Amino acid sequence: MGASPEPPRFAALPVGIVVAVQAVVLTALSGRYGFHRDELYFVAAGHRPDWGYVDNPPITPWLARASTAVFGETPSGLRVAATLLGMATVVVVALIAREFGGGRGAQLFTAIATALSAYVLVVSHMLATNSADVLLWSLIALFGLKLLRTGDGRWWLAVGAAAGVGLANKWLVLLLLSGLGIGVAVAGPRRVLRTWWLAAGVGIAVVLAAPVVVWQASHGWPMLTVAGGISDDDGGENRALFVPMQLVYLSPVLVPVWIAGLVRPWRDPAVRWARALAVAYPIVCAELLVLGGKPYYSVPLLLPLVALGADPALRWLGRGGTARRALTGVAAAVCVVVSVLTGLPVVPVSALNGPLLAVNKEPGEQVGWPGFAESVAGAWARIPATERDTAVIIAGNYGEAGALEHYGPALGLPQPYSPHMSYADWGPPPDRLVGPVLLVGGFERGSPASRLITGCRPVTKYHTAEGVDNDENGTAFSLCTLTEPWSTAWPKLRQFY
């Protein structure tokens, strides 16, 4: 089979308008609510640059460091990186629609659908590992599709480069690569596997990912420990919710579009070369079901399928009458409103409790951190002044520690410590700190931590001023005593999840 015809011209102007509007909206809303707990952690990790961290590779913390260094250590400054990643994702997915022969209309449709999908709104508003992951998956899909369409083995170099960077951000990219590899082996065109360019692409990926893999190996593969904990704790729930979440994470109105994308390569000879993509998605889903992974891990692969289904969806709309188009328009408008309400900080904080947080809890995790730090400062003031020089603040999780590290200095608080995730590597407190322990949160009864930090006397509880029911609402603060030196106690306190 010869190479497919050259794709149509890229619809730069209409796609550019979509991206410009996206940038304006995201920038205007980027300062609302405040930092997310994960963002505070990434900012803290960015201040400690390394080739890896307990629960993620280095790309996202590096982006946090770069964005805040240039634009300021504020939610708006940090989220410039997320906005740019979201804009790039829209452009790349529109280019994928072009690969399938999509003209101006299909590319514009794909760009709008991508920009307004709930998942993309969430990861473009706040900086998360998924912010870069969705772009990198889209780039791998674009380069891989160019390889399949043209048969030009040199595209393996681009696939390898994107995969190597992807592995330096999140190892979930291995699922995508396995899915596409199985797809090519099953559905072809298998000729792209019979070239030395494949080995060259693998070599590039290995070189780019090597420092990250070496760091993980030298630290006992902590990311695998964290992943195993997630599967053990949430695997059953993740499997039960997997299929329903596939229908809502982008938008329910886009489900027929990506289903059309799954079907199209088997019906349309012009895109027969793209069958590997249609095979890859169910393969990745099956892998995640076996592993107990989170349902949203497979969502980035739905975006290329939306691009593949754009042309059939537009033809279906074109064949319909006014009633069909009106009904589709109403459904699309409702879904867009729902996506915006759940994905962006557009409602007052007081309105978050209820259905919005039930659908997406992440906005709630962006509320109340300055007040949280002020409450800790109040508890710290309960320690006699003569004892504060040897006292320690121990936070129960990385979000709490990140908040205290960011907001604490202005409130007169010392450096916080936490045994959670990479904060454990950034401790322990010096052994000279033998005074009271201000414990933020708590430990499970009967755990090693509860035997090492004892005699806890409750001081107060934190409640969000807005009444938002997030993970920190109701957190208890206690004054406790350490039973052995920090240097020996710290390894026993460590928490991976």
Side-chain angles (χ1 to χ4, degrees), residues 76-88:
S76 295
L78 174 67
R79 289 167 181 166
V80 171
T83 297
L84 293 174
L85 292 168
M87 294 164 62

Side-chain angles (χ1 to χ4, degrees), residues 192-220:
V192 300
L193 302 175
R194 298 187 293 269
T195 171
W196 72 271
W197 289 108
L198 170 57
V202 171
I204 290 174
V206 168
V207 169
L208 290 174
V212 177
V213 175
V214 169
W215 189 96
Q216 286 289 322
S218 65
H219 288 75

Side-chain angles (χ1 to χ4, degrees), residues 22-263:
Q22 178 191 26
V24 169
V25 172
L26 290 173
T27 301
L29 297 173
S30 63
R32 297 203 68 189
Y33 296 178
F35 286 110
H36 187 278
R37 67 168 57 250
D38 291 355
E39 291 178 314
L40 290 163
Y41 179 47
F42 295 138
V43 169
H47 287 305
R48 303 165 174 90
D50 206 339
W51 281 108
Y53 302 89
V54 165
D55 48 341
N56 53 263
I59 290 293
T60 302
W62 290 355
L63 288 172
R65 177 68 178 270
S67 194
T68 54
V70 176
F71 301 105
E73 197 166 301
T74 64
S76 295
L78 174 67
R79 289 167 181 166
V80 171
T83 297
L84 293 174
L85 292 168
M87 294 164 62
T89 298
V90 170
V91 172
V92 171
V93 180
L95 286 169
I96 291 175
R98 174 177 175 265
E99 286 299 306
F100 298 131
R104 185 185 183 93
Q107 293 177 42
L108 177 59
F109 173 90
T110 301
I112 294 173
T114 301
L116 289 176
S117 64
Y119 181 81
V120 174
L121 284 174
V122 170
V123 301
S124 302
H125 163 63
M126 57 174 248
L127 184 63
T129 54
N130 301 324
S131 305
D133 208 43
V134 67
L135 172 61
L136 290 164
W137 278 47
S138 299
L139 281 171
I140 292 170
L142 174 63
F143 298 148
L145 290 166
K146 283 182 173 291
L147 168 69
L148 298 179
R149 181 180 63 80
T150 65
D152 186 345
R154 289 173 295 182
W155 283 108
W156 276 118
L157 302 181
V159 172
V165 176
L167 287 167
N169 180 69
K170 204 166 186 177
W171 286 5
L172 288 175
V173 73
L174 292 171
L175 299 179
L176 172 63
L177 295 172
S178 67
L180 290 174
I182 293 171
V184 172
V186 170
R190 287 181 285 275
R191 70 184 188 282
V192 300
L193 302 175
R194 298 187 293 269
T195 171
W196 72 271
W197 289 108
L198 170 57
V202 171
I204 290 174
V206 168
V207 169
L208 290 174
V212 177
V213 175
V214 169
W215 189 96
Q216 286 289 322
S218 65
H219 288 75
W221 304 102
M223 284 205 318
L224 299 183
T225 301
V226 173
I230 292 173
S231 180
D232 291 342
D233 289 351
D234 302 328
E237 180 181 355
N238 290 339
R239 293 183 183 96
L241 293 176
F242 192 88
V243 172
M245 290 296 100
Q246 301 304 295
L247 307 179
V248 301
Y249 268 132
L250 284 187
S251 176
V253 77
L254 292 176
V255 172
V257 181
W258 59 258
I259 289 177
L262 284 171
V263 173

Side-chain angles (χ1 to χ4, degrees), residues 105-107 109 309-319:
Q107 293 177 42
F109 173 90
D311 259 335
L314 291 175
R315 287 197 299 270
W316 178 82
L317 281 175
R319 290 194 302 268

